[in-house]
Amino acid sequence: MNASAFHLGIEAVFSLLVLALLLSAPVPAADSSLSRLQLLQKQQDLLAVWVAFGNPDAETMRADFVFVFPGRAGIIGFAGDKFEINLPPEGCTRSTASARYLDGTLRLREITLTVFC
Amino acid sequence: MSITGRRGIVFSFDLLIAFIVMCLILCLILVNMNLRADSAVSAQRSFALQHAALSVADTLVQNADLNNPALGSAYFGEDKRRVFGNVIDGTLLAKADFAGISLGKGIFLKEVSLRYKSGEYGQIHRSPLPAGSCTAAERFVVVKGAAIAKGATEEKAILTVVACEGGI
């Protein structure tokens, strides 16, 4: 009969459950950094320069990409073609920006720039 | 008497456990709040630094101010009567005086430099003040009319602006 002293009432069980829930709750990581904005700005810079200086060729764009994002992987889409720079690691996040412009013959063109991780 | 006593003990244990758990929860909440406050203060400092560096870099790249090039050194095309974003007037940037720029309490501009695609490096400004933690903002630009590669009229470069804590 004395063992009944160790029985837990419903409030104690409930409290323990709440505590367990609190302890197991994942804490989301707060991203207060402006690094994503900085990445996007650099992507937009590349696109702005390519568009402003007209008729960029694949080699120039590839060289500019390597200069601005050394060691990073990316994909440049231009005039219906897509070319990759380095191989993106598995499960890597990506950031894509694009620019549309009228070329010398007044045809609408689009350049897409994707940067991984 | 004995029944009441036993019931009282059972009740006390439950209450005791509930009370201890409640205290633990309160303690966890306080610790969590403290950690969050600490990380918020740290994030705020880092955010202010990044914001300062990004703002200076952006204003340099997007605006043209002939009287105070530190507020904008973008190239102004006389023929088209407009400012060309992402195109830096190298001659104008070379005249910029960044020493007077105030970026807020405890933040100052440590360095402004250009790293050309050709591999050359050009320092525009470097503060002698002692620095704490720093952050850099980079922008891809085309530099016109500066002391760039011989024979070239323009060259691609990365403009780097470094903002630091300290400066006292």
Side-chain angles (χ1 to χ4, degrees), chain A residues 1 4-5 7-9 15 32 34 38 41-42 45-46 53 60 64 67-68, chain B residues 6 13-14 17 21 43 47 50 54 86 115 117 136-140 154 156:
Chain A
M1 279 302 284
S4 63
H7 285 178
L8 297 178
S15 306
S32 57
L34 291 174
Q38 205 172 346
Q41 273 189 340
K42 283 164 84 174
D45 288 344
L46 273 173
F53 285 82
T60 304
D64 287 348
F67 177 57
V68 176
Chain B
R6 259 186 260 144
F13 262 103
D14 281 359
I17 289 169
V21 168
F47 185 88
Q50 288 184 59
L54 284 173
N86 287 91
R115 183 163 51 84
K117 205 174 168 183
E138 290 185 338
R139 298 297 297 262
F140 179 64
E154 58 193 36
K156 289 170 180 168

PDB file of all heavy atoms in Angstrom, chain A residues 1 4-5 7-9 15 32 34 38 41-42 45-46 53 60 64 67-68, chain B residues 6 13-14 17 21 43 47 50 54 86 115 117 136-140 154 156:
ATOM      1  N   MET A   1       0.818  -1.221   0.000  1.00  0.00           N
ATOM      2  CA  MET A   1       0.000   0.000   0.000  1.00  0.00           C
ATOM      3  C   MET A   1       0.847   1.264   0.000  1.00  0.00           C
ATOM      4  O   MET A   1       0.486   2.259  -0.600  1.00  0.00           O
ATOM      5  CB  MET A   1      -0.915  -0.002   1.232  1.00  0.00           C
ATOM      6  CG  MET A   1      -2.158  -0.839   1.068  1.00  0.00           C
ATOM      7  SD  MET A   1      -3.163  -0.305  -0.329  1.00  0.00           S
ATOM      8  CE  MET A   1      -3.906   1.159   0.365  1.00  0.00           C
ATOM      9  N   SER A   4       1.805   3.105  -3.175  1.00  0.00           N
ATOM     10  CA  SER A   4       0.913   4.041  -3.853  1.00  0.00           C
ATOM     11  C   SER A   4       1.445   5.468  -3.799  1.00  0.00           C
ATOM     12  O   SER A   4       1.067   6.298  -4.616  1.00  0.00           O
ATOM     13  CB  SER A   4      -0.482   3.969  -3.240  1.00  0.00           C
ATOM     14  OG  SER A   4      -0.404   4.364  -1.890  1.00  0.00           O
ATOM     15  N   ALA A   5       2.321   5.758  -2.878  1.00  0.00           N
ATOM     16  CA  ALA A   5       2.892   7.095  -2.771  1.00  0.00           C
ATOM     17  C   ALA A   5       3.702   7.467  -4.019  1.00  0.00           C
ATOM     18  O   ALA A   5       3.888   8.636  -4.303  1.00  0.00           O
ATOM     19  CB  ALA A   5       3.774   7.187  -1.544  1.00  0.00           C
ATOM     20  N   HIS A   7       2.842   6.616  -7.138  1.00  0.00           N
ATOM     21  CA  HIS A   7       2.020   6.760  -8.339  1.00  0.00           C
ATOM     22  C   HIS A   7       2.004   8.219  -8.773  1.00  0.00           C
ATOM     23  O   HIS A   7       1.944   9.117  -7.949  1.00  0.00           O
ATOM     24  CB  HIS A   7       0.579   6.291  -8.045  1.00  0.00           C
ATOM     25  CG  HIS A   7       0.489   4.793  -7.965  1.00  0.00           C
ATOM     26  ND1 HIS A   7      -0.683   4.143  -7.673  1.00  0.00           N
ATOM     27  CD2 HIS A   7       1.421   3.844  -8.119  1.00  0.00           C
ATOM     28  CE1 HIS A   7      -0.464   2.835  -7.636  1.00  0.00           C
ATOM     29  NE2 HIS A   7       0.821   2.649  -7.915  1.00  0.00           N
ATOM     30  N   LEU A   8       2.023   8.414 -10.042  1.00  0.00           N
ATOM     31  CA  LEU A   8       1.960   9.783 -10.535  1.00  0.00           C
ATOM     32  C   LEU A   8       0.532  10.146 -10.885  1.00  0.00           C
ATOM     33  O   LEU A   8      -0.168   9.363 -11.534  1.00  0.00           O
ATOM     34  CB  LEU A   8       2.838   9.949 -11.781  1.00  0.00           C
ATOM     35  CG  LEU A   8       4.323   9.733 -11.589  1.00  0.00           C
ATOM     36  CD1 LEU A   8       5.046   9.887 -12.916  1.00  0.00           C
ATOM     37  CD2 LEU A   8       4.895  10.693 -10.570  1.00  0.00           C
ATOM     38  N   GLY A   9       0.126  11.284 -10.459  1.00  0.00           N
ATOM     39  CA  GLY A   9      -1.200  11.770 -10.788  1.00  0.00           C
ATOM     40  C   GLY A   9      -1.202  12.275 -12.225  1.00  0.00           C
ATOM     41  O   GLY A   9      -0.146  12.409 -12.857  1.00  0.00           O
ATOM     42  N   SER A  15       2.600  17.281 -16.749  1.00  0.00           N
ATOM     43  CA  SER A  15       3.752  18.183 -16.642  1.00  0.00           C
ATOM     44  C   SER A  15       4.991  17.574 -17.268  1.00  0.00           C
ATOM     45  O   SER A  15       5.743  18.257 -17.980  1.00  0.00           O
ATOM     46  CB  SER A  15       4.052  18.503 -15.182  1.00  0.00           C
ATOM     47  OG  SER A  15       2.922  18.996 -14.565  1.00  0.00           O
ATOM     48  N   SER A  32      19.798  35.991 -39.617  1.00  0.00           N
ATOM     49  CA  SER A  32      19.752  37.448 -39.624  1.00  0.00           C
ATOM     50  C   SER A  32      20.872  38.017 -40.479  1.00  0.00           C
ATOM     51  O   SER A  32      21.150  39.199 -40.446  1.00  0.00           O
ATOM     52  CB  SER A  32      19.867  37.982 -38.195  1.00  0.00           C
ATOM     53  OG  SER A  32      21.055  37.501 -37.632  1.00  0.00           O
ATOM     54  N   LEU A  34      22.933  39.093 -43.948  1.00  0.00           N
ATOM     55  CA  LEU A  34      22.584  39.680 -45.236  1.00  0.00           C
ATOM     56  C   LEU A  34      23.350  38.991 -46.361  1.00  0.00           C
ATOM     57  O   LEU A  34      23.487  39.546 -47.449  1.00  0.00           O
ATOM     58  CB  LEU A  34      22.900  41.183 -45.223  1.00  0.00           C
ATOM     59  CG  LEU A  34      22.014  42.042 -44.320  1.00  0.00           C
ATOM     60  CD1 LEU A  34      22.511  43.479 -44.272  1.00  0.00           C
ATOM     61  CD2 LEU A  34      20.581  42.044 -44.824  1.00  0.00           C
ATOM     62  N   GLN A  38      23.653  39.776 -50.400  1.00  0.00           N
ATOM     63  CA  GLN A  38      24.940  40.054 -51.035  1.00  0.00           C
ATOM     64  C   GLN A  38      25.144  39.150 -52.263  1.00  0.00           C
ATOM     65  O   GLN A  38      25.625  39.600 -53.307  1.00  0.00           O
ATOM     66  CB  GLN A  38      26.063  39.829 -50.036  1.00  0.00           C
ATOM     67  CG  GLN A  38      27.293  40.633 -50.385  1.00  0.00           C
ATOM     68  CD  GLN A  38      28.349  40.593 -49.317  1.00  0.00           C
ATOM     69  OE1 GLN A  38      28.095  40.176 -48.205  1.00  0.00           O
ATOM     70  NE2 GLN A  38      29.544  41.011 -49.646  1.00  0.00           N
ATOM     71  N   GLN A  41      22.956  40.418 -55.000  1.00  0.00           N
ATOM     72  CA  GLN A  41      23.500  41.647 -55.573  1.00  0.00           C
ATOM     73  C   GLN A  41      24.610  41.338 -56.574  1.00  0.00           C
ATOM     74  O   GLN A  41      24.688  41.931 -57.651  1.00  0.00           O
ATOM     75  CB  GLN A  41      24.053  42.535 -54.460  1.00  0.00           C
ATOM     76  CG  GLN A  41      23.015  43.443 -53.842  1.00  0.00           C
ATOM     77  CD  GLN A  41      23.628  44.461 -52.912  1.00  0.00           C
ATOM     78  OE1 GLN A  41      24.740  44.291 -52.434  1.00  0.00           O
ATOM     79  NE2 GLN A  41      22.897  45.514 -52.633  1.00  0.00           N
ATOM     80  N   LYS A  42      25.480  40.379 -56.197  1.00  0.00           N
ATOM     81  CA  LYS A  42      26.577  40.026 -57.095  1.00  0.00           C
ATOM     82  C   LYS A  42      26.046  39.361 -58.373  1.00  0.00           C
ATOM     83  O   LYS A  42      26.566  39.593 -59.468  1.00  0.00           O
ATOM     84  CB  LYS A  42      27.579  39.111 -56.381  1.00  0.00           C
ATOM     85  CG  LYS A  42      28.482  39.896 -55.433  1.00  0.00           C
ATOM     86  CD  LYS A  42      29.188  39.020 -54.451  1.00  0.00           C
ATOM     87  CE  LYS A  42      30.445  38.412 -54.991  1.00  0.00           C
ATOM     88  NZ  LYS A  42      31.184  37.661 -53.940  1.00  0.00           N
ATOM     89  N   ASP A  45      24.737  42.129 -60.416  1.00  0.00           N
ATOM     90  CA  ASP A  45      25.857  42.893 -60.987  1.00  0.00           C
ATOM     91  C   ASP A  45      26.350  42.237 -62.265  1.00  0.00           C
ATOM     92  O   ASP A  45      26.564  42.910 -63.280  1.00  0.00           O
ATOM     93  CB  ASP A  45      27.016  42.964 -59.981  1.00  0.00           C
ATOM     94  CG  ASP A  45      26.715  43.880 -58.810  1.00  0.00           C
ATOM     95  OD1 ASP A  45      25.769  44.679 -58.922  1.00  0.00           O
ATOM     96  OD2 ASP A  45      27.419  43.793 -57.793  1.00  0.00           O
ATOM     97  N   LEU A  46      26.536  40.920 -62.195  1.00  0.00           N
ATOM     98  CA  LEU A  46      27.006  40.192 -63.373  1.00  0.00           C
ATOM     99  C   LEU A  46      26.030  40.367 -64.537  1.00  0.00           C
ATOM    100  O   LEU A  46      26.435  40.692 -65.661  1.00  0.00           O
ATOM    101  CB  LEU A  46      27.146  38.700 -63.049  1.00  0.00           C
ATOM    102  CG  LEU A  46      28.466  38.237 -62.441  1.00  0.00           C
ATOM    103  CD1 LEU A  46      28.365  36.785 -62.021  1.00  0.00           C
ATOM    104  CD2 LEU A  46      29.611  38.392 -63.425  1.00  0.00           C
ATOM    105  N   PHE A  53      26.853  45.815 -71.555  1.00  0.00           N
ATOM    106  CA  PHE A  53      27.937  45.832 -72.536  1.00  0.00           C
ATOM    107  C   PHE A  53      27.618  45.006 -73.777  1.00  0.00           C
ATOM    108  O   PHE A  53      28.479  44.831 -74.628  1.00  0.00           O
ATOM    109  CB  PHE A  53      29.260  45.434 -71.884  1.00  0.00           C
ATOM    110  CG  PHE A  53      29.794  46.555 -71.037  1.00  0.00           C
ATOM    111  CD1 PHE A  53      29.338  46.755 -69.755  1.00  0.00           C
ATOM    112  CD2 PHE A  53      30.701  47.455 -71.571  1.00  0.00           C
ATOM    113  CE1 PHE A  53      29.780  47.821 -68.988  1.00  0.00           C
ATOM    114  CE2 PHE A  53      31.149  48.522 -70.819  1.00  0.00           C
ATOM    115  CZ  PHE A  53      30.691  48.709 -69.521  1.00  0.00           C
ATOM    116  N   THR A  60      33.279  34.732 -72.144  1.00  0.00           N
ATOM    117  CA  THR A  60      33.366  35.927 -71.290  1.00  0.00           C
ATOM    118  C   THR A  60      32.529  35.727 -70.033  1.00  0.00           C
ATOM    119  O   THR A  60      32.978  36.029 -68.917  1.00  0.00           O
ATOM    120  CB  THR A  60      32.856  37.168 -72.057  1.00  0.00           C
ATOM    121  OG1 THR A  60      33.594  37.286 -73.257  1.00  0.00           O
ATOM    122  CG2 THR A  60      33.017  38.431 -71.237  1.00  0.00           C
ATOM    123  N   ASP A  64      33.865  35.628 -66.251  1.00  0.00           N
ATOM    124  CA  ASP A  64      33.349  36.582 -65.259  1.00  0.00           C
ATOM    125  C   ASP A  64      32.789  35.845 -64.043  1.00  0.00           C
ATOM    126  O   ASP A  64      32.985  36.263 -62.903  1.00  0.00           O
ATOM    127  CB  ASP A  64      32.248  37.451 -65.880  1.00  0.00           C
ATOM    128  CG  ASP A  64      32.802  38.472 -66.856  1.00  0.00           C
ATOM    129  OD1 ASP A  64      34.036  38.666 -66.876  1.00  0.00           O
ATOM    130  OD2 ASP A  64      32.001  39.070 -67.615  1.00  0.00           O
ATOM    131  N   PHE A  67      35.519  34.633 -61.889  1.00  0.00           N
ATOM    132  CA  PHE A  67      36.152  35.766 -61.217  1.00  0.00           C
ATOM    133  C   PHE A  67      35.334  36.222 -60.001  1.00  0.00           C
ATOM    134  O   PHE A  67      35.882  36.511 -58.935  1.00  0.00           O
ATOM    135  CB  PHE A  67      36.303  36.913 -62.224  1.00  0.00           C
ATOM    136  CG  PHE A  67      36.885  38.177 -61.650  1.00  0.00           C
ATOM    137  CD1 PHE A  67      38.126  38.177 -61.017  1.00  0.00           C
ATOM    138  CD2 PHE A  67      36.198  39.378 -61.763  1.00  0.00           C
ATOM    139  CE1 PHE A  67      38.654  39.348 -60.492  1.00  0.00           C
ATOM    140  CE2 PHE A  67      36.722  40.545 -61.248  1.00  0.00           C
ATOM    141  CZ  PHE A  67      37.953  40.532 -60.607  1.00  0.00           C
ATOM    142  N   VAL A  68      34.020  36.261 -60.178  1.00  0.00           N
ATOM    143  CA  VAL A  68      33.147  36.761 -59.094  1.00  0.00           C
ATOM    144  C   VAL A  68      32.851  35.673 -58.059  1.00  0.00           C
ATOM    145  O   VAL A  68      32.809  35.945 -56.862  1.00  0.00           O
ATOM    146  CB  VAL A  68      31.829  37.325 -59.690  1.00  0.00           C
ATOM    147  CG1 VAL A  68      30.877  37.764 -58.587  1.00  0.00           C
ATOM    148  CG2 VAL A  68      32.124  38.497 -60.598  1.00  0.00           C
TER     149      VAL A  68
ATOM    150  N   ARG B   6      -2.163   8.956   4.050  1.00  0.00           N
ATOM    151  CA  ARG B   6      -1.682   8.333   2.811  1.00  0.00           C
ATOM    152  C   ARG B   6      -2.062   9.177   1.589  1.00  0.00           C
ATOM    153  O   ARG B   6      -1.275   9.428   0.720  1.00  0.00           O
ATOM    154  CB  ARG B   6      -2.275   6.932   2.675  1.00  0.00           C
ATOM    155  CG  ARG B   6      -1.263   5.855   3.071  1.00  0.00           C
ATOM    156  CD  ARG B   6      -1.807   4.485   2.784  1.00  0.00           C
ATOM    157  NE  ARG B   6      -2.312   3.890   3.993  1.00  0.00           N
ATOM    158  CZ  ARG B   6      -3.372   3.117   4.079  1.00  0.00           C
ATOM    159  NH1 ARG B   6      -4.080   2.870   3.007  1.00  0.00           N
ATOM    160  NH2 ARG B   6      -3.755   2.594   5.221  1.00  0.00           N
ATOM    161  N   PHE B  13       3.430  14.165  -3.424  1.00  0.00           N
ATOM    162  CA  PHE B  13       4.401  13.731  -4.430  1.00  0.00           C
ATOM    163  C   PHE B  13       4.049  14.289  -5.807  1.00  0.00           C
ATOM    164  O   PHE B  13       4.895  14.795  -6.521  1.00  0.00           O
ATOM    165  CB  PHE B  13       4.464  12.198  -4.493  1.00  0.00           C
ATOM    166  CG  PHE B  13       5.607  11.646  -3.705  1.00  0.00           C
ATOM    167  CD1 PHE B  13       5.422  11.065  -2.473  1.00  0.00           C
ATOM    168  CD2 PHE B  13       6.910  11.733  -4.215  1.00  0.00           C
ATOM    169  CE1 PHE B  13       6.481  10.577  -1.741  1.00  0.00           C
ATOM    170  CE2 PHE B  13       7.969  11.241  -3.484  1.00  0.00           C
ATOM    171  CZ  PHE B  13       7.766  10.654  -2.244  1.00  0.00           C
ATOM    172  N   ASP B  14       2.764  14.163  -6.140  1.00  0.00           N
ATOM    173  CA  ASP B  14       2.318  14.693  -7.430  1.00  0.00           C
ATOM    174  C   ASP B  14       2.602  16.182  -7.537  1.00  0.00           C
ATOM    175  O   ASP B  14       3.128  16.671  -8.523  1.00  0.00           O
ATOM    176  CB  ASP B  14       0.815  14.466  -7.599  1.00  0.00           C
ATOM    177  CG  ASP B  14       0.535  13.036  -8.014  1.00  0.00           C
ATOM    178  OD1 ASP B  14       1.517  12.289  -8.169  1.00  0.00           O
ATOM    179  OD2 ASP B  14      -0.641  12.686  -8.180  1.00  0.00           O
ATOM    180  N   ILE B  17       6.339  16.851  -7.823  1.00  0.00           N
ATOM    181  CA  ILE B  17       6.870  16.603  -9.179  1.00  0.00           C
ATOM    182  C   ILE B  17       6.395  17.689 -10.138  1.00  0.00           C
ATOM    183  O   ILE B  17       7.174  18.246 -10.907  1.00  0.00           O
ATOM    184  CB  ILE B  17       6.442  15.201  -9.676  1.00  0.00           C
ATOM    185  CG1 ILE B  17       7.213  14.145  -8.885  1.00  0.00           C
ATOM    186  CG2 ILE B  17       6.711  15.030 -11.166  1.00  0.00           C
ATOM    187  CD1 ILE B  17       6.716  12.747  -9.070  1.00  0.00           C
ATOM    188  N   VAL B  21       8.817  20.224 -12.052  1.00  0.00           N
ATOM    189  CA  VAL B  21       8.767  20.314 -13.521  1.00  0.00           C
ATOM    190  C   VAL B  21       8.446  21.737 -13.943  1.00  0.00           C
ATOM    191  O   VAL B  21       9.059  22.287 -14.872  1.00  0.00           O
ATOM    192  CB  VAL B  21       7.725  19.322 -14.083  1.00  0.00           C
ATOM    193  CG1 VAL B  21       7.448  19.603 -15.553  1.00  0.00           C
ATOM    194  CG2 VAL B  21       8.226  17.897 -13.923  1.00  0.00           C
ATOM    195  N   ALA B  43      23.565  39.328 -33.428  1.00  0.00           N
ATOM    196  CA  ALA B  43      23.070  39.417 -34.805  1.00  0.00           C
ATOM    197  C   ALA B  43      22.860  40.873 -35.212  1.00  0.00           C
ATOM    198  O   ALA B  43      23.120  41.247 -36.355  1.00  0.00           O
ATOM    199  CB  ALA B  43      21.767  38.651 -34.938  1.00  0.00           C
ATOM    200  N   PHE B  47      24.519  42.555 -38.280  1.00  0.00           N
ATOM    201  CA  PHE B  47      23.617  43.127 -39.277  1.00  0.00           C
ATOM    202  C   PHE B  47      23.996  44.573 -39.575  1.00  0.00           C
ATOM    203  O   PHE B  47      24.052  44.993 -40.731  1.00  0.00           O
ATOM    204  CB  PHE B  47      22.179  43.042 -38.761  1.00  0.00           C
ATOM    205  CG  PHE B  47      21.147  43.499 -39.751  1.00  0.00           C
ATOM    206  CD1 PHE B  47      20.601  42.600 -40.660  1.00  0.00           C
ATOM    207  CD2 PHE B  47      20.721  44.807 -39.794  1.00  0.00           C
ATOM    208  CE1 PHE B  47      19.653  43.010 -41.578  1.00  0.00           C
ATOM    209  CE2 PHE B  47      19.780  45.234 -40.710  1.00  0.00           C
ATOM    210  CZ  PHE B  47      19.246  44.331 -41.595  1.00  0.00           C
ATOM    211  N   GLN B  50      27.187  44.630 -41.701  1.00  0.00           N
ATOM    212  CA  GLN B  50      26.918  44.229 -43.085  1.00  0.00           C
ATOM    213  C   GLN B  50      26.128  45.307 -43.817  1.00  0.00           C
ATOM    214  O   GLN B  50      26.400  45.610 -44.975  1.00  0.00           O
ATOM    215  CB  GLN B  50      26.133  42.921 -43.113  1.00  0.00           C
ATOM    216  CG  GLN B  50      26.948  41.717 -42.728  1.00  0.00           C
ATOM    217  CD  GLN B  50      26.119  40.444 -42.882  1.00  0.00           C
ATOM    218  OE1 GLN B  50      25.637  40.125 -43.944  1.00  0.00           O
ATOM    219  NE2 GLN B  50      25.955  39.726 -41.795  1.00  0.00           N
ATOM    220  N   LEU B  54      27.358  47.154 -47.159  1.00  0.00           N
ATOM    221  CA  LEU B  54      26.526  47.022 -48.363  1.00  0.00           C
ATOM    222  C   LEU B  54      26.039  48.388 -48.859  1.00  0.00           C
ATOM    223  O   LEU B  54      26.000  48.640 -50.061  1.00  0.00           O
ATOM    224  CB  LEU B  54      25.313  46.126 -48.075  1.00  0.00           C
ATOM    225  CG  LEU B  54      25.571  44.629 -48.014  1.00  0.00           C
ATOM    226  CD1 LEU B  54      24.328  43.894 -47.544  1.00  0.00           C
ATOM    227  CD2 LEU B  54      25.974  44.095 -49.382  1.00  0.00           C
ATOM    228  N   ASN B  86      26.873  50.177 -61.978  1.00  0.00           N
ATOM    229  CA  ASN B  86      27.880  49.118 -62.094  1.00  0.00           C
ATOM    230  C   ASN B  86      29.070  49.492 -62.992  1.00  0.00           C
ATOM    231  O   ASN B  86      29.894  48.642 -63.302  1.00  0.00           O
ATOM    232  CB  ASN B  86      27.286  47.796 -62.587  1.00  0.00           C
ATOM    233  CG  ASN B  86      26.465  47.126 -61.514  1.00  0.00           C
ATOM    234  OD1 ASN B  86      25.264  47.356 -61.436  1.00  0.00           O
ATOM    235  ND2 ASN B  86      27.099  46.339 -60.666  1.00  0.00           N
ATOM    236  N   ARG B 115      39.829  44.994 -57.029  1.00  0.00           N
ATOM    237  CA  ARG B 115      40.645  43.850 -57.473  1.00  0.00           C
ATOM    238  C   ARG B 115      40.273  43.594 -58.929  1.00  0.00           C
ATOM    239  O   ARG B 115      39.180  43.151 -59.237  1.00  0.00           O
ATOM    240  CB  ARG B 115      40.343  42.627 -56.604  1.00  0.00           C
ATOM    241  CG  ARG B 115      41.179  41.412 -56.931  1.00  0.00           C
ATOM    242  CD  ARG B 115      41.118  40.413 -55.770  1.00  0.00           C
ATOM    243  NE  ARG B 115      39.761  40.102 -55.341  1.00  0.00           N
ATOM    244  CZ  ARG B 115      38.987  39.186 -55.910  1.00  0.00           C
ATOM    245  NH1 ARG B 115      39.429  38.486 -56.922  1.00  0.00           N
ATOM    246  NH2 ARG B 115      37.774  38.946 -55.452  1.00  0.00           N
ATOM    247  N   LYS B 117      40.307  42.167 -62.808  1.00  0.00           N
ATOM    248  CA  LYS B 117      40.280  40.820 -63.385  1.00  0.00           C
ATOM    249  C   LYS B 117      41.667  40.409 -63.872  1.00  0.00           C
ATOM    250  O   LYS B 117      41.995  39.224 -63.930  1.00  0.00           O
ATOM    251  CB  LYS B 117      39.277  40.802 -64.553  1.00  0.00           C
ATOM    252  CG  LYS B 117      38.709  39.438 -64.842  1.00  0.00           C
ATOM    253  CD  LYS B 117      37.637  39.527 -65.897  1.00  0.00           C
ATOM    254  CE  LYS B 117      37.261  38.167 -66.404  1.00  0.00           C
ATOM    255  NZ  LYS B 117      36.266  38.244 -67.480  1.00  0.00           N
ATOM    256  N   ALA B 136      32.929  42.425 -45.145  1.00  0.00           N
ATOM    257  CA  ALA B 136      33.216  43.005 -46.461  1.00  0.00           C
ATOM    258  C   ALA B 136      32.021  42.834 -47.384  1.00  0.00           C
ATOM    259  O   ALA B 136      31.326  41.818 -47.341  1.00  0.00           O
ATOM    260  CB  ALA B 136      34.431  42.331 -47.066  1.00  0.00           C
ATOM    261  N   ALA B 137      31.802  43.839 -48.203  1.00  0.00           N
ATOM    262  CA  ALA B 137      30.768  43.762 -49.246  1.00  0.00           C
ATOM    263  C   ALA B 137      31.482  43.867 -50.582  1.00  0.00           C
ATOM    264  O   ALA B 137      32.344  44.720 -50.760  1.00  0.00           O
ATOM    265  CB  ALA B 137      29.766  44.890 -49.083  1.00  0.00           C
ATOM    266  N   GLU B 138      31.115  42.988 -51.493  1.00  0.00           N
ATOM    267  CA  GLU B 138      31.765  42.985 -52.803  1.00  0.00           C
ATOM    268  C   GLU B 138      30.750  43.270 -53.899  1.00  0.00           C
ATOM    269  O   GLU B 138      29.614  42.793 -53.832  1.00  0.00           O
ATOM    270  CB  GLU B 138      32.416  41.619 -53.070  1.00  0.00           C
ATOM    271  CG  GLU B 138      33.620  41.347 -52.203  1.00  0.00           C
ATOM    272  CD  GLU B 138      34.305  40.043 -52.577  1.00  0.00           C
ATOM    273  OE1 GLU B 138      33.641  39.183 -53.174  1.00  0.00           O
ATOM    274  OE2 GLU B 138      35.503  39.916 -52.268  1.00  0.00           O
ATOM    275  N   ARG B 139      31.171  44.046 -54.890  1.00  0.00           N
ATOM    276  CA  ARG B 139      30.329  44.321 -56.057  1.00  0.00           C
ATOM    277  C   ARG B 139      31.155  44.139 -57.319  1.00  0.00           C
ATOM    278  O   ARG B 139      32.330  44.508 -57.359  1.00  0.00           O
ATOM    279  CB  ARG B 139      29.786  45.757 -56.004  1.00  0.00           C
ATOM    280  CG  ARG B 139      28.895  46.075 -54.814  1.00  0.00           C
ATOM    281  CD  ARG B 139      27.630  45.262 -54.776  1.00  0.00           C
ATOM    282  NE  ARG B 139      26.768  45.510 -55.903  1.00  0.00           N
ATOM    283  CZ  ARG B 139      25.721  46.326 -55.872  1.00  0.00           C
ATOM    284  NH1 ARG B 139      25.400  46.948 -54.762  1.00  0.00           N
ATOM    285  NH2 ARG B 139      24.968  46.502 -56.947  1.00  0.00           N
ATOM    286  N   PHE B 140      30.531  43.575 -58.310  1.00  0.00           N
ATOM    287  CA  PHE B 140      31.185  43.385 -59.604  1.00  0.00           C
ATOM    288  C   PHE B 140      30.935  44.624 -60.448  1.00  0.00           C
ATOM    289  O   PHE B 140      29.785  45.023 -60.636  1.00  0.00           O
ATOM    290  CB  PHE B 140      30.614  42.140 -60.276  1.00  0.00           C
ATOM    291  CG  PHE B 140      31.189  41.865 -61.635  1.00  0.00           C
ATOM    292  CD1 PHE B 140      32.536  41.575 -61.784  1.00  0.00           C
ATOM    293  CD2 PHE B 140      30.395  41.880 -62.764  1.00  0.00           C
ATOM    294  CE1 PHE B 140      33.068  41.314 -63.039  1.00  0.00           C
ATOM    295  CE2 PHE B 140      30.917  41.610 -64.018  1.00  0.00           C
ATOM    296  CZ  PHE B 140      32.260  41.330 -64.152  1.00  0.00           C
ATOM    297  N   GLU B 154      38.639  50.298 -70.282  1.00  0.00           N
ATOM    298  CA  GLU B 154      37.794  49.813 -69.188  1.00  0.00           C
ATOM    299  C   GLU B 154      38.235  48.408 -68.792  1.00  0.00           C
ATOM    300  O   GLU B 154      38.812  47.677 -69.600  1.00  0.00           O
ATOM    301  CB  GLU B 154      36.324  49.794 -69.613  1.00  0.00           C
ATOM    302  CG  GLU B 154      36.068  48.946 -70.840  1.00  0.00           C
ATOM    303  CD  GLU B 154      34.691  49.175 -71.441  1.00  0.00           C
ATOM    304  OE1 GLU B 154      34.213  50.311 -71.421  1.00  0.00           O
ATOM    305  OE2 GLU B 154      34.116  48.195 -71.934  1.00  0.00           O
ATOM    306  N   LYS B 156      37.119  44.995 -65.979  1.00  0.00           N
ATOM    307  CA  LYS B 156      36.219  44.453 -64.970  1.00  0.00           C
ATOM    308  C   LYS B 156      36.968  44.276 -63.662  1.00  0.00           C
ATOM    309  O   LYS B 156      38.156  43.936 -63.659  1.00  0.00           O
ATOM    310  CB  LYS B 156      35.646  43.120 -65.447  1.00  0.00           C
ATOM    311  CG  LYS B 156      34.647  43.299 -66.575  1.00  0.00           C
ATOM    312  CD  LYS B 156      34.252  42.004 -67.207  1.00  0.00           C
ATOM    313  CE  LYS B 156      33.256  42.264 -68.338  1.00  0.00           C
ATOM    314  NZ  LYS B 156      33.049  41.092 -69.179  1.00  0.00           N
TER     315      LYS B 156
END
